[in-house]
Amino acid sequence: NTFMEGAAITFGGYRGKQGNQWFDGWLDEWRFWHGERTQSGIFQFMNQPIRAAKEQFYGDPSTERPIRAGTDDYNYNSILLASYTFDVTCPATDPQCAAVTLSPEYPKSEAAKNKLVAYVGDTTSVKAAPTDSTGIMFYSDGGGMSISSSGLLTLTDPQVGMHQVSVQVSFGDGTIFVPVDFLVDVLPISSCQSLYDGCQLQCEEDPCEFAGNQLIPSLNVYAPVLDTGTGVDSVFVGSDLAASIDVGSYLYPGTMRIFSGFEVNVTLEGLDDQTTSQGTDSVYTNVGFSSGTVPTHMRFTNVRGTNPSMMDLLWTPCNQDVGSQTICFDAVDRHISATPGTPSPRSASSIQKCIKFTISEDPTPMFLTGTGQTPTTMLELTMGQHAQVTLMAVEENCLDKVDIGFDAATQVPAGAILGEQVSEVVVGQSCPASRRQLQWTPSYNHGGFDRSLCFTAHDSGGNCPGGERHVANHCIRMVVHRCRFALLVDQQLQEIAERFGTTWMNLWSLNAELQHPDYIVYGGSDQTIMIGHDYQALEGESPAGIAKRMGMHIDHLTFLNFGMDPMATLSTGQELCVIPNSCEGMGVSAYDQNLADPSFFRESSGSDTGGAQA
């Protein structure tokens, strides 16, 4: 259209012969552009506040542009000519004050502003709407809106129809405000069986677009979760550990904790309790689902059933998803008339329900220590006696599997094995623990064994590309007594003597509690006998020297003392097990030279002990 320069242009109104007609509603903002707006140009600014105070974030759409546009530049240039905002600050005494004139936000020069002053209203003036208590949202007080700190929008007694809501969100420090716009469809509801469920639709106008649609559908959400102890937060544990339950009490603003690399499965159920007939016309009811924005790799199964209907959410978050993701859904009904040509009533949706996923990185397993669990102190073992050592490990992520094994660098002693791994519930742990038994019976040549056996507990690493297993380590020091052997059932001294390269007479003489050399009363697995003498090396002694003195072959001495280096010098006080051979040993003692002087015994006994005097 062509307008005379200086003439007033009317928007939102009509002056005609039948009287003036005016826009009946709420004004938020008017923007006037010179030239056609491209789709990208519209998207660039439609959700951005065009304010001089926000130019550091969004730029200036009128920078260095002439106010008077050329006659043909609209074909290649789009210029913001004027921008008006109707966010008027009203005094407390008049919360709906009248706005008669408005100066534009743009252009910014005062000379240009004066030429573009807008006169609002005709015989009445446009009234401003107040903000809510948070100061971040404008609303019509014909019902009112409020928003909680958790983002829950509440409409108090709103009018039926579509409501556009604009909310500004920002970082916690109040910087970088970004507007979020959405529509709220207020349905004509007469009554509800419970909060938002079983609500009956009823229209006041005629004809009613919901005629034939009696009830709004309900939405239920199910998942196998465990409570974290708060009553509002849960952790996803999978169907192997828990049955799927209604997670209504754990929905937003509550949280559901999941772990990167492991699939989460949530079931949505839509239900519409409307009867299968509406008057004389049979009505078929189907329930589907809709959702908001979802992560890239989240999947949904096909809808199963019609009413009720079910659909599964499947998602394996990875490390780039660690943090928080909120996914929202609703159930939408559809009523199909059985009579050809009869229009279907308008669909209605359930209350929106949201799941706030808290995604954590897959944790590292840990060994459980304590009574009946993985030991932390040194274990003392005996040759011939069977030992069972419990190893237990667990992880916070119940979907992961923890495997217990020997550390690759550990030298496993002959005969030591790890039993079958089992899973069991442990008091104080949300997830089942993995338990495995170390089984070992130290053999005849393990006397003096003193090493740390190290074990690993590792998880699977998850199902994301590049996922790595997490490993925990634990070591246990194990010491096998020298010169002691645990009797087995029906075992005789002759058999034991042969095993240790000695005679039954030597064994019988070493164990005074044995009443008969051919008959031993077996007293249980803890009954032990001495098979040799404990010996402490003197300074500078060598294994070869001790073997020669005791009348033993060096190989025999090495057999009785696990890990002893026959070529090394022994440390002072080092313990050994020896079985002297009186026929082959040295006949002269290091102390024989003292026997020539009888006073040796007197000096060594001490007069205050009542010892014998020679």
Side-chain angles (χ1 to χ4, degrees):
N1 295 327
T2 302
F3 298 96
M4 182 183 300
E5 182 176 352
I9 304 174
T10 301
F11 293 90
Y14 172 75
R15 296 176 182 271
K17 294 181 180 180
Q18 304 300 323
N20 299 334
Q21 301 293 323
W22 303 105
F23 169 71
D24 183 13
W26 297 88
L27 299 179
D28 180 44
E29 192 171 3
W30 289 85
R31 299 176 183 178
F32 298 91
W33 299 85
H34 173 72
E36 295 182 3
R37 300 286 287 156
T38 64
Q39 183 179 21
S40 60
I42 294 173
F43 286 159
Q44 179 183 359
F45 288 101
M46 65 182 296
N47 290 325
Q48 291 184 9
I50 299 181
R51 304 282 192 276
K54 300 293 183 179
E55 288 180 358
Q56 58 178 321
F57 304 117
Y58 301 107
D60 181 358
S62 65
T63 301
E64 304 300 329
R65 297 294 186 185
I67 298 302
R68 184 180 296 275
T71 58
D72 59 351
D73 63 358
Y74 65 89
N75 291 318
Y76 55 86
N77 215 351
S78 183
I79 303 169
L80 179 67
L81 295 178
S83 174
Y84 298 90
T85 176
F86 293 88
D87 299 336
V88 178
T89 302
C90 297
T93 56
D94 185 10
Q96 285 189 300
C97 60
V100 179
T101 61
L102 288 175
S103 294
E105 184 81 13
Y106 288 97
K108 293 184 289 185
S109 69
E110 291 300 322
K113 283 180 181 289
N114 292 334
K115 293 182 179 181
L116 295 172
V117 170
Y119 295 88
V120 296
D122 184 28
T123 57
T124 60
S125 299
V126 173
K127 292 185 177 181
T131 63
D132 67 356
S133 59
T134 64
I136 62 173
M137 183 177 66
F138 294 92
Y139 64 93
S140 163
D141 69 348
M145 300 182 188
S146 62
I147 187 168
S148 68
S149 59
S150 62
L152 179 63
L153 175 69
T154 301
L155 284 73
T156 306
D157 193 21
Q159 296 181 354
V160 173
M162 301 294 290
H163 293 250
Q164 181 179 2
V165 179
S166 296
V167 179
Q168 285 187 328
V169 296
S170 69
F171 290 117
D173 58 2
T175 60
I176 315 297
F177 281 93
V178 177
V180 177
D181 295 323
F182 55 92
L183 295 176
V184 177
D185 188 6
V186 178
L187 303 180
I189 295 174
S190 60
S191 62
C192 296
Q193 297 176 2
S194 61
L195 185 63
Y196 305 125
D197 284 330
C199 298
Q200 185 172 356
L201 290 166
Q202 180 177 345
C203 292
E204 296 181 357
E205 70 276 7
D206 187 21
C208 175
E209 59 182 343
F210 289 101
N213 193 346
Q214 300 174 347
L215 302 170
I216 68 171
S218 59
L219 174 66
N220 299 313
V221 184
Y222 301 94
V225 300
L226 294 178
D227 191 283
T228 60
T230 64
V232 295
D233 299 317
S234 62
V235 58
F236 186 88
V237 296
S239 57
D240 291 340
L241 185 60
S244 288
I245 62 171
D246 189 334
V247 296
S249 59
Y250 302 118
L251 297 177
Y252 184 89
T255 63
M256 183 184 296
R257 188 184 184 194
I258 59 178
F259 296 89
S260 63
F262 295 87
E263 185 178 72
V264 58
N265 187 330
V266 176
T267 299
L268 308 178
E269 180 191 50
L271 175 66
D272 194 313
D273 289 332
Q274 179 164 325
T275 58
T276 57
S277 64
Q278 177 73 16
T280 59
D281 181 31
S282 178
V283 176
Y284 299 94
T285 302
N286 295 335
V287 181
F289 305 92
S290 66
S291 71
T293 304
V294 300
T296 304
H297 301 292
M298 183 174 288
R299 299 177 291 117
F300 295 92
T301 63
N302 293 330
V303 176
R304 305 186 300 276
T306 56
N307 183 26
S309 61
M310 306 186 82
M311 181 176 71
D312 295 332
L313 174 158
L314 305 172
W315 184 34
T316 302
C318 293
N319 285 341
Q320 66 268 23
D321 300 308
V322 169
S324 178
Q325 294 270 6
T326 301
I327 315 298
C328 297
F329 318 90
D330 59 13
V332 183
D333 63 14
R334 183 188 180 198
H335 302 283
I336 305 172
S337 174
T339 303
T342 302
S344 299
R346 179 183 166 187
S347 296
S349 61
S350 68
I351 181 68
Q352 179 177 262
K353 294 185 177 181
C354 303
I355 305 174
K356 183 178 181 181
F357 291 111
T358 300
I359 304 100
S360 302
E361 291 185 359
D362 186 33
T364 300
M366 62 179 180
F367 280 93
L368 293 177
T369 59
T371 304
Q373 299 175 348
T374 310
T376 57
T377 57
M378 182 184 72
L379 300 181
E380 298 184 46
L381 310 178
T382 303
M383 290 182 291
Q385 188 174 61
H386 184 68
Q388 289 190 143
V389 181
T390 298
L391 304 170
M392 296 187 72
V394 72
E395 185 182 298
E396 286 184 84
N397 179 11
C398 298
L399 298 175
D400 208 350
K401 181 183 178 183
V402 178
D403 289 317
I404 300 173
F406 286 112
D407 188 285
T410 290
Q411 296 182 13
V412 182
I417 61 172
L418 287 173
E420 181 181 358
Q421 182 170 292
V422 297
S423 178
E424 65 179 48
V425 177
V426 179
V427 177
Q429 297 294 328
S430 299
C431 303
S434 297
R435 178 172 62 84
R436 208 168 183 185
Q437 297 278 358
L438 171 67
Q439 309 277 352
W440 186 34
T441 302
S443 189
Y444 300 93
N445 65 334
H446 279 127
F449 179 94
D450 187 351
R451 287 181 182 172
S452 288
L453 300 188
C454 295
F455 308 89
T456 61
H458 63 81
D459 61 14
S460 65
N463 300 308
C464 290
E468 297 182 355
R469 298 192 309 177
H470 304 87
V471 181
N473 299 88
H474 185 81
C475 298
I476 305 172
R477 182 186 175 191
M478 297 184 180
V479 176
V480 180
H481 293 295
R482 290 181 174 85
C483 288
R484 287 170 178 79
F485 181 78
L487 292 175
L488 304 179
V489 177
D490 296 331
Q491 201 167 28
Q492 301 297 316
L493 290 184
Q494 290 85 347
E495 177 188 350
I496 299 172
E498 182 180 356
R499 292 281 188 176
F500 287 101
T502 185
T503 65
W504 65 268
M505 288 187 178
N506 282 340
L507 294 183
W508 192 34
S509 64
L510 283 171
N511 298 275
E513 70 278 6
L514 299 180
Q515 301 298 311
H516 195 281
D518 298 325
Y519 178 70
I520 300 175
V521 179
Y522 178 69
S525 60
D526 59 347
Q527 184 177 355
T528 62
I529 62 172
M530 296 290 296
I531 55 91
H533 288 275
D534 289 324
Y535 181 88
Q536 286 189 344
L538 299 177
E539 182 179 358
E541 282 193 295
S542 67
I546 293 176
K548 181 178 180 181
R549 182 182 180 191
M550 299 297 171
M552 301 173 62
H553 193 279
I554 187 65
D555 291 341
H556 190 194
L557 183 64
T558 303
F559 174 83
L560 295 176
N561 297 275
F562 184 91
M564 184 193 72
D565 184 356
M567 304 303 295
T569 300
L570 300 172
S571 58
T572 302
Q574 182 173 337
E575 295 182 353
L576 299 175
C577 179
V578 298
I579 300 179
N581 185 335
S582 58
C583 297
E584 300 292 337
M586 296 177 63
V588 179
S589 167
Y591 299 99
D592 281 352
Q593 63 214 35
N594 296 320
L595 298 180
D597 184 3
S599 64
F600 169 77
F601 295 99
R602 291 195 298 269
E603 294 172 355
S604 62
S605 63
S607 58
D608 58 339
T609 62
Q613 298 289 325

